[in-house]
Amino acid sequence: MKKQSLKEKLKKKEKACAFSLHRVSRFIQPSLLLFLLKKPSYGYELMENLRKTGFHEESIDIGAVYRTLRSLEKEGFVKSIWQRKKKRRKRIYKITSRGKALLRAWVKRIEERKKALERFIKFYQKRRQ
Amino acid sequence: MKKQSLKEKLKKKEKACAFSLHRVSRFIQPSLLLFLLKKPSYGYELMENLRKTGFHEESIDIGAVYRTLRSLEKEGFVKSIWQRKKKRRKRIYKITSRGKALLRAWVKRIEERKKALERFIKFYQKRRQ
DNA sequence: TAATCTTATATGTTTAAATCATATAATAAA
DNA sequence: TTTATTATATGATTTAAACATATAAGATTA
């Protein structure tokens, strides 16, 4: 169980400083939209992509992935159909034009965020004795 | 009431896409530690610094600032004393060595995070038609 | 001088989402 | 035939962000 051991390691790290440093904080949503921009996909595959790409340093909560997909669909940012033809049934998601617009907004935000992080690091390096 | 109007604007923006894009997500804590690394300070001043530096694009919740300071103190990352000599009583906070270590951990995390955001943006620009 | 604004600290309540846990079921592998 | 993997889903708990309000003293202004 690779997932469990990683979580335990993080938990230890967290206890050492009593403050959680490992929150994902709303990064699942834009990540899913980004993968879906590339090609239609389904929950399980998307979760594996999340693991591989390293947008999240920590283990992915599969429940969060499915819930986020459903809520994105409810708001019209993605659309799903059942695929039952092949060996396994899969709920295939496609990004909509509204979803693409949302992703653009996210990218803008993420660029701003990146700049803020850069400012933070610079500030730190300047003031550090 | 400048604060209020800003919040309302953000609320509208949020409603437009039904997903909140404006969360601060644990950035108050490292920001406070960073300011305190520079010099001892107090809640109100720290909040004003947060506004000015633009680490947070959005309005600062002053309640969160005070609560974060208290919790940092509870864990030994900062230490406070009351200053009553001047016109107003202020609770002056100083960063401790444990706090400095925590900030170092935060900076590492923030650097990682920055890289993740960069990867995200690159990925977006590549796959975008 | 009374009313309002700014500085200053603090906490109560609500809402959102992250985290943890578990359920189901079919196929693949041991 | 038992276990692992693929696949989707939701219940429960915990955390923190967001919103709201309280207090009080000094500064400003009407």
PDB file of all heavy atoms in Angstrom, chain B residues 56-84:
ATOM      1  N   HIS B  56      -1.418  38.361  -1.167  1.00  0.00           N
ATOM      2  CA  HIS B  56      -2.817  37.964  -1.281  1.00  0.00           C
ATOM      3  C   HIS B  56      -3.507  38.960  -2.190  1.00  0.00           C
ATOM      4  O   HIS B  56      -3.506  40.141  -1.901  1.00  0.00           O
ATOM      5  CB  HIS B  56      -3.489  37.987   0.083  1.00  0.00           C
ATOM      6  CG  HIS B  56      -2.745  37.177   1.093  1.00  0.00           C
ATOM      7  ND1 HIS B  56      -3.178  35.952   1.507  1.00  0.00           N
ATOM      8  CD2 HIS B  56      -1.583  37.408   1.732  1.00  0.00           C
ATOM      9  CE1 HIS B  56      -2.304  35.472   2.372  1.00  0.00           C
ATOM     10  NE2 HIS B  56      -1.331  36.329   2.531  1.00  0.00           N
ATOM     11  N   GLU B  57      -4.111  38.485  -3.226  1.00  0.00           N
ATOM     12  CA  GLU B  57      -4.800  39.385  -4.156  1.00  0.00           C
ATOM     13  C   GLU B  57      -6.070  39.934  -3.537  1.00  0.00           C
ATOM     14  O   GLU B  57      -6.611  40.923  -3.985  1.00  0.00           O
ATOM     15  CB  GLU B  57      -5.159  38.657  -5.460  1.00  0.00           C
ATOM     16  CG  GLU B  57      -3.985  37.999  -6.160  1.00  0.00           C
ATOM     17  CD  GLU B  57      -3.835  36.549  -5.757  1.00  0.00           C
ATOM     18  OE1 GLU B  57      -4.486  36.129  -4.777  1.00  0.00           O
ATOM     19  OE2 GLU B  57      -3.067  35.845  -6.406  1.00  0.00           O
ATOM     20  N   GLU B  58      -6.540  39.287  -2.527  1.00  0.00           N
ATOM     21  CA  GLU B  58      -7.863  39.614  -1.994  1.00  0.00           C
ATOM     22  C   GLU B  58      -7.779  40.318  -0.643  1.00  0.00           C
ATOM     23  O   GLU B  58      -6.716  40.432  -0.059  1.00  0.00           O
ATOM     24  CB  GLU B  58      -8.695  38.339  -1.900  1.00  0.00           C
ATOM     25  CG  GLU B  58      -7.981  37.183  -1.256  1.00  0.00           C
ATOM     26  CD  GLU B  58      -6.968  36.514  -2.189  1.00  0.00           C
ATOM     27  OE1 GLU B  58      -7.297  36.263  -3.370  1.00  0.00           O
ATOM     28  OE2 GLU B  58      -5.853  36.259  -1.725  1.00  0.00           O
ATOM     29  N   SER B  59      -8.905  40.758  -0.173  1.00  0.00           N
ATOM     30  CA  SER B  59      -8.931  41.456   1.106  1.00  0.00           C
ATOM     31  C   SER B  59      -8.594  40.489   2.236  1.00  0.00           C
ATOM     32  O   SER B  59      -8.930  39.316   2.190  1.00  0.00           O
ATOM     33  CB  SER B  59     -10.307  42.062   1.333  1.00  0.00           C
ATOM     34  OG  SER B  59     -11.256  41.027   1.425  1.00  0.00           O
ATOM     35  N   ILE B  60      -7.945  41.016   3.237  1.00  0.00           N
ATOM     36  CA  ILE B  60      -7.470  40.179   4.324  1.00  0.00           C
ATOM     37  C   ILE B  60      -8.535  40.087   5.413  1.00  0.00           C
ATOM     38  O   ILE B  60      -9.126  41.078   5.804  1.00  0.00           O
ATOM     39  CB  ILE B  60      -6.186  40.785   4.914  1.00  0.00           C
ATOM     40  CG1 ILE B  60      -5.122  40.988   3.834  1.00  0.00           C
ATOM     41  CG2 ILE B  60      -5.649  39.921   6.044  1.00  0.00           C
ATOM     42  CD1 ILE B  60      -4.751  39.771   3.054  1.00  0.00           C
ATOM     43  N   ASP B  61      -8.739  38.921   5.903  1.00  0.00           N
ATOM     44  CA  ASP B  61      -9.630  38.721   7.045  1.00  0.00           C
ATOM     45  C   ASP B  61      -8.832  38.956   8.324  1.00  0.00           C
ATOM     46  O   ASP B  61      -8.004  38.127   8.716  1.00  0.00           O
ATOM     47  CB  ASP B  61     -10.196  37.298   6.992  1.00  0.00           C
ATOM     48  CG  ASP B  61     -11.153  37.025   8.150  1.00  0.00           C
ATOM     49  OD1 ASP B  61     -11.330  37.917   9.002  1.00  0.00           O
ATOM     50  OD2 ASP B  61     -11.711  35.927   8.208  1.00  0.00           O
ATOM     51  N   ILE B  62      -9.086  40.085   8.949  1.00  0.00           N
ATOM     52  CA  ILE B  62      -8.325  40.464  10.138  1.00  0.00           C
ATOM     53  C   ILE B  62      -8.476  39.432  11.261  1.00  0.00           C
ATOM     54  O   ILE B  62      -7.515  39.152  11.982  1.00  0.00           O
ATOM     55  CB  ILE B  62      -8.713  41.903  10.601  1.00  0.00           C
ATOM     56  CG1 ILE B  62      -7.914  42.345  11.829  1.00  0.00           C
ATOM     57  CG2 ILE B  62     -10.216  42.022  10.866  1.00  0.00           C
ATOM     58  CD1 ILE B  62      -6.428  42.485  11.596  1.00  0.00           C
ATOM     59  N   GLY B  63      -9.638  38.849  11.341  1.00  0.00           N
ATOM     60  CA  GLY B  63      -9.870  37.787  12.324  1.00  0.00           C
ATOM     61  C   GLY B  63      -8.903  36.631  12.142  1.00  0.00           C
ATOM     62  O   GLY B  63      -8.349  36.111  13.110  1.00  0.00           O
ATOM     63  N   ALA B  64      -8.664  36.288  10.894  1.00  0.00           N
ATOM     64  CA  ALA B  64      -7.750  35.188  10.577  1.00  0.00           C
ATOM     65  C   ALA B  64      -6.328  35.534  11.000  1.00  0.00           C
ATOM     66  O   ALA B  64      -5.589  34.667  11.472  1.00  0.00           O
ATOM     67  CB  ALA B  64      -7.807  34.871   9.091  1.00  0.00           C
ATOM     68  N   VAL B  65      -5.966  36.793  10.840  1.00  0.00           N
ATOM     69  CA  VAL B  65      -4.623  37.238  11.222  1.00  0.00           C
ATOM     70  C   VAL B  65      -4.410  37.025  12.724  1.00  0.00           C
ATOM     71  O   VAL B  65      -3.437  36.390  13.132  1.00  0.00           O
ATOM     72  CB  VAL B  65      -4.405  38.723  10.849  1.00  0.00           C
ATOM     73  CG1 VAL B  65      -3.096  39.245  11.437  1.00  0.00           C
ATOM     74  CG2 VAL B  65      -4.399  38.899   9.339  1.00  0.00           C
ATOM     75  N   TYR B  66      -5.340  37.524  13.516  1.00  0.00           N
ATOM     76  CA  TYR B  66      -5.199  37.382  14.975  1.00  0.00           C
ATOM     77  C   TYR B  66      -5.238  35.918  15.404  1.00  0.00           C
ATOM     78  O   TYR B  66      -4.451  35.488  16.239  1.00  0.00           O
ATOM     79  CB  TYR B  66      -6.291  38.186  15.695  1.00  0.00           C
ATOM     80  CG  TYR B  66      -6.017  39.667  15.659  1.00  0.00           C
ATOM     81  CD1 TYR B  66      -6.783  40.529  14.877  1.00  0.00           C
ATOM     82  CD2 TYR B  66      -4.966  40.202  16.393  1.00  0.00           C
ATOM     83  CE1 TYR B  66      -6.512  41.893  14.840  1.00  0.00           C
ATOM     84  CE2 TYR B  66      -4.684  41.559  16.365  1.00  0.00           C
ATOM     85  CZ  TYR B  66      -5.468  42.402  15.581  1.00  0.00           C
ATOM     86  OH  TYR B  66      -5.183  43.731  15.541  1.00  0.00           O
ATOM     87  N   ARG B  67      -6.114  35.188  14.813  1.00  0.00           N
ATOM     88  CA  ARG B  67      -6.216  33.767  15.197  1.00  0.00           C
ATOM     89  C   ARG B  67      -4.948  33.014  14.828  1.00  0.00           C
ATOM     90  O   ARG B  67      -4.448  32.187  15.598  1.00  0.00           O
ATOM     91  CB  ARG B  67      -7.431  33.128  14.526  1.00  0.00           C
ATOM     92  CG  ARG B  67      -8.505  32.762  15.535  1.00  0.00           C
ATOM     93  CD  ARG B  67      -9.578  31.928  14.904  1.00  0.00           C
ATOM     94  NE  ARG B  67     -10.495  32.766  14.143  1.00  0.00           N
ATOM     95  CZ  ARG B  67     -11.769  32.979  14.483  1.00  0.00           C
ATOM     96  NH1 ARG B  67     -12.264  32.426  15.562  1.00  0.00           N
ATOM     97  NH2 ARG B  67     -12.546  33.743  13.754  1.00  0.00           N
ATOM     98  N   THR B  68      -4.403  33.304  13.648  1.00  0.00           N
ATOM     99  CA  THR B  68      -3.177  32.637  13.211  1.00  0.00           C
ATOM    100  C   THR B  68      -2.019  32.983  14.140  1.00  0.00           C
ATOM    101  O   THR B  68      -1.243  32.107  14.535  1.00  0.00           O
ATOM    102  CB  THR B  68      -2.846  33.040  11.767  1.00  0.00           C
ATOM    103  OG1 THR B  68      -3.972  32.755  10.929  1.00  0.00           O
ATOM    104  CG2 THR B  68      -1.643  32.274  11.242  1.00  0.00           C
ATOM    105  N   LEU B  69      -1.937  34.250  14.532  1.00  0.00           N
ATOM    106  CA  LEU B  69      -0.873  34.662  15.457  1.00  0.00           C
ATOM    107  C   LEU B  69      -0.970  33.920  16.786  1.00  0.00           C
ATOM    108  O   LEU B  69       0.029  33.403  17.292  1.00  0.00           O
ATOM    109  CB  LEU B  69      -0.946  36.175  15.690  1.00  0.00           C
ATOM    110  CG  LEU B  69      -0.444  37.045  14.534  1.00  0.00           C
ATOM    111  CD1 LEU B  69      -0.807  38.501  14.756  1.00  0.00           C
ATOM    112  CD2 LEU B  69       1.060  36.894  14.321  1.00  0.00           C
ATOM    113  N   ARG B  70      -2.190  33.826  17.297  1.00  0.00           N
ATOM    114  CA  ARG B  70      -2.364  33.124  18.565  1.00  0.00           C
ATOM    115  C   ARG B  70      -1.990  31.649  18.455  1.00  0.00           C
ATOM    116  O   ARG B  70      -1.369  31.088  19.344  1.00  0.00           O
ATOM    117  CB  ARG B  70      -3.805  33.261  19.077  1.00  0.00           C
ATOM    118  CG  ARG B  70      -4.275  34.696  19.297  1.00  0.00           C
ATOM    119  CD  ARG B  70      -3.355  35.503  20.195  1.00  0.00           C
ATOM    120  NE  ARG B  70      -3.418  35.128  21.588  1.00  0.00           N
ATOM    121  CZ  ARG B  70      -4.317  35.573  22.456  1.00  0.00           C
ATOM    122  NH1 ARG B  70      -5.238  36.425  22.072  1.00  0.00           N
ATOM    123  NH2 ARG B  70      -4.293  35.183  23.709  1.00  0.00           N
ATOM    124  N   SER B  71      -2.370  31.049  17.355  1.00  0.00           N
ATOM    125  CA  SER B  71      -2.073  29.621  17.209  1.00  0.00           C
ATOM    126  C   SER B  71      -0.568  29.411  16.980  1.00  0.00           C
ATOM    127  O   SER B  71       0.005  28.434  17.455  1.00  0.00           O
ATOM    128  CB  SER B  71      -2.917  29.000  16.101  1.00  0.00           C
ATOM    129  OG  SER B  71      -2.292  29.103  14.854  1.00  0.00           O
ATOM    130  N   LEU B  72       0.065  30.344  16.282  1.00  0.00           N
ATOM    131  CA  LEU B  72       1.526  30.272  16.115  1.00  0.00           C
ATOM    132  C   LEU B  72       2.217  30.375  17.477  1.00  0.00           C
ATOM    133  O   LEU B  72       3.197  29.674  17.733  1.00  0.00           O
ATOM    134  CB  LEU B  72       2.018  31.408  15.205  1.00  0.00           C
ATOM    135  CG  LEU B  72       1.860  31.206  13.692  1.00  0.00           C
ATOM    136  CD1 LEU B  72       2.139  32.502  12.955  1.00  0.00           C
ATOM    137  CD2 LEU B  72       2.781  30.104  13.180  1.00  0.00           C
ATOM    138  N   GLU B  73       1.676  31.222  18.314  1.00  0.00           N
ATOM    139  CA  GLU B  73       2.281  31.373  19.638  1.00  0.00           C
ATOM    140  C   GLU B  73       2.086  30.106  20.475  1.00  0.00           C
ATOM    141  O   GLU B  73       3.003  29.651  21.151  1.00  0.00           O
ATOM    142  CB  GLU B  73       1.694  32.585  20.371  1.00  0.00           C
ATOM    143  CG  GLU B  73       2.363  32.769  21.735  1.00  0.00           C
ATOM    144  CD  GLU B  73       2.185  34.163  22.307  1.00  0.00           C
ATOM    145  OE1 GLU B  73       1.135  34.772  22.091  1.00  0.00           O
ATOM    146  OE2 GLU B  73       3.130  34.642  22.980  1.00  0.00           O
ATOM    147  N   LYS B  74       0.888  29.560  20.382  1.00  0.00           N
ATOM    148  CA  LYS B  74       0.566  28.346  21.139  1.00  0.00           C
ATOM    149  C   LYS B  74       1.553  27.221  20.815  1.00  0.00           C
ATOM    150  O   LYS B  74       1.879  26.409  21.682  1.00  0.00           O
ATOM    151  CB  LYS B  74      -0.866  27.910  20.802  1.00  0.00           C
ATOM    152  CG  LYS B  74      -1.611  27.253  21.953  1.00  0.00           C
ATOM    153  CD  LYS B  74      -3.032  26.878  21.548  1.00  0.00           C
ATOM    154  CE  LYS B  74      -3.221  25.385  21.482  1.00  0.00           C
ATOM    155  NZ  LYS B  74      -4.396  24.971  20.690  1.00  0.00           N
ATOM    156  N   GLU B  75       2.022  27.197  19.580  1.00  0.00           N
ATOM    157  CA  GLU B  75       2.945  26.146  19.143  1.00  0.00           C
ATOM    158  C   GLU B  75       4.415  26.557  19.280  1.00  0.00           C
ATOM    159  O   GLU B  75       5.302  25.812  18.871  1.00  0.00           O
ATOM    160  CB  GLU B  75       2.659  25.789  17.673  1.00  0.00           C
ATOM    161  CG  GLU B  75       1.211  25.377  17.392  1.00  0.00           C
ATOM    162  CD  GLU B  75       0.851  24.026  18.021  1.00  0.00           C
ATOM    163  OE1 GLU B  75       1.745  23.186  18.148  1.00  0.00           O
ATOM    164  OE2 GLU B  75      -0.332  23.845  18.397  1.00  0.00           O
ATOM    165  N   GLY B  76       4.634  27.762  19.772  1.00  0.00           N
ATOM    166  CA  GLY B  76       6.008  28.197  20.019  1.00  0.00           C
ATOM    167  C   GLY B  76       6.764  28.755  18.826  1.00  0.00           C
ATOM    168  O   GLY B  76       7.988  28.862  18.859  1.00  0.00           O
ATOM    169  N   PHE B  77       6.047  29.123  17.800  1.00  0.00           N
ATOM    170  CA  PHE B  77       6.705  29.659  16.600  1.00  0.00           C
ATOM    171  C   PHE B  77       6.913  31.178  16.694  1.00  0.00           C
ATOM    172  O   PHE B  77       7.736  31.742  16.002  1.00  0.00           O
ATOM    173  CB  PHE B  77       5.910  29.319  15.345  1.00  0.00           C
ATOM    174  CG  PHE B  77       5.794  27.844  15.104  1.00  0.00           C
ATOM    175  CD1 PHE B  77       4.553  27.211  15.092  1.00  0.00           C
ATOM    176  CD2 PHE B  77       6.927  27.073  14.902  1.00  0.00           C
ATOM    177  CE1 PHE B  77       4.450  25.847  14.886  1.00  0.00           C
ATOM    178  CE2 PHE B  77       6.839  25.709  14.686  1.00  0.00           C
ATOM    179  CZ  PHE B  77       5.600  25.091  14.682  1.00  0.00           C
ATOM    180  N   VAL B  78       6.107  31.803  17.533  1.00  0.00           N
ATOM    181  CA  VAL B  78       6.284  33.233  17.828  1.00  0.00           C
ATOM    182  C   VAL B  78       6.064  33.431  19.338  1.00  0.00           C
ATOM    183  O   VAL B  78       5.528  32.547  20.011  1.00  0.00           O
ATOM    184  CB  VAL B  78       5.300  34.125  17.035  1.00  0.00           C
ATOM    185  CG1 VAL B  78       5.463  33.940  15.532  1.00  0.00           C
ATOM    186  CG2 VAL B  78       3.847  33.846  17.443  1.00  0.00           C
ATOM    187  N   LYS B  79       6.458  34.604  19.812  1.00  0.00           N
ATOM    188  CA  LYS B  79       6.286  34.930  21.221  1.00  0.00           C
ATOM    189  C   LYS B  79       5.798  36.370  21.304  1.00  0.00           C
ATOM    190  O   LYS B  79       6.261  37.221  20.561  1.00  0.00           O
ATOM    191  CB  LYS B  79       7.648  34.788  21.932  1.00  0.00           C
ATOM    192  CG  LYS B  79       7.562  34.147  23.316  1.00  0.00           C
ATOM    193  CD  LYS B  79       8.933  33.975  23.926  1.00  0.00           C
ATOM    194  CE  LYS B  79       8.828  33.812  25.443  1.00  0.00           C
ATOM    195  NZ  LYS B  79       7.993  34.796  26.137  1.00  0.00           N
ATOM    196  N   SER B  80       4.859  36.632  22.199  1.00  0.00           N
ATOM    197  CA  SER B  80       4.307  37.990  22.248  1.00  0.00           C
ATOM    198  C   SER B  80       4.469  38.643  23.614  1.00  0.00           C
ATOM    199  O   SER B  80       4.527  37.968  24.639  1.00  0.00           O
ATOM    200  CB  SER B  80       2.828  37.977  21.876  1.00  0.00           C
ATOM    201  OG  SER B  80       2.049  37.510  22.957  1.00  0.00           O
ATOM    202  N   ILE B  81       4.550  39.951  23.595  1.00  0.00           N
ATOM    203  CA  ILE B  81       4.496  40.747  24.822  1.00  0.00           C
ATOM    204  C   ILE B  81       3.570  41.943  24.576  1.00  0.00           C
ATOM    205  O   ILE B  81       3.436  42.406  23.446  1.00  0.00           O
ATOM    206  CB  ILE B  81       5.886  41.275  25.248  1.00  0.00           C
ATOM    207  CG1 ILE B  81       6.633  41.824  24.012  1.00  0.00           C
ATOM    208  CG2 ILE B  81       6.712  40.191  25.920  1.00  0.00           C
ATOM    209  CD1 ILE B  81       7.639  42.881  24.333  1.00  0.00           C
ATOM    210  N   TRP B  82       2.949  42.415  25.684  1.00  0.00           N
ATOM    211  CA  TRP B  82       2.081  43.583  25.577  1.00  0.00           C
ATOM    212  C   TRP B  82       2.918  44.854  25.644  1.00  0.00           C
ATOM    213  O   TRP B  82       3.789  44.975  26.504  1.00  0.00           O
ATOM    214  CB  TRP B  82       1.056  43.613  26.699  1.00  0.00           C
ATOM    215  CG  TRP B  82      -0.149  42.788  26.414  1.00  0.00           C
ATOM    216  CD1 TRP B  82      -0.450  41.581  26.956  1.00  0.00           C
ATOM    217  CD2 TRP B  82      -1.212  43.107  25.518  1.00  0.00           C
ATOM    218  NE1 TRP B  82      -1.647  41.128  26.451  1.00  0.00           N
ATOM    219  CE2 TRP B  82      -2.136  42.041  25.570  1.00  0.00           C
ATOM    220  CE3 TRP B  82      -1.476  44.197  24.669  1.00  0.00           C
ATOM    221  CZ2 TRP B  82      -3.297  42.033  24.800  1.00  0.00           C
ATOM    222  CZ3 TRP B  82      -2.629  44.179  23.908  1.00  0.00           C
ATOM    223  CH2 TRP B  82      -3.525  43.103  23.980  1.00  0.00           C
ATOM    224  N   GLN B  83       2.619  45.757  24.723  1.00  0.00           N
ATOM    225  CA  GLN B  83       3.261  47.058  24.765  1.00  0.00           C
ATOM    226  C   GLN B  83       2.190  48.081  25.124  1.00  0.00           C
ATOM    227  O   GLN B  83       1.251  48.282  24.356  1.00  0.00           O
ATOM    228  CB  GLN B  83       3.890  47.367  23.414  1.00  0.00           C
ATOM    229  CG  GLN B  83       4.731  48.619  23.414  1.00  0.00           C
ATOM    230  CD  GLN B  83       4.980  49.125  22.025  1.00  0.00           C
ATOM    231  OE1 GLN B  83       4.121  49.740  21.406  1.00  0.00           O
ATOM    232  NE2 GLN B  83       6.150  48.844  21.505  1.00  0.00           N
ATOM    233  N   ARG B  84       2.316  48.696  26.284  1.00  0.00           N
ATOM    234  CA  ARG B  84       1.269  49.628  26.725  1.00  0.00           C
ATOM    235  C   ARG B  84       1.795  51.051  26.889  1.00  0.00           C
ATOM    236  O   ARG B  84       1.053  51.973  27.180  1.00  0.00           O
ATOM    237  CB  ARG B  84       0.681  49.153  28.067  1.00  0.00           C
ATOM    238  CG  ARG B  84      -0.347  48.053  27.940  1.00  0.00           C
ATOM    239  CD  ARG B  84      -1.145  47.903  29.229  1.00  0.00           C
ATOM    240  NE  ARG B  84      -1.924  46.645  29.225  1.00  0.00           N
ATOM    241  CZ  ARG B  84      -1.421  45.443  29.486  1.00  0.00           C
ATOM    242  NH1 ARG B  84      -0.143  45.314  29.760  1.00  0.00           N
ATOM    243  NH2 ARG B  84      -2.201  44.372  29.466  1.00  0.00           N
TER     244      ARG B  84
END
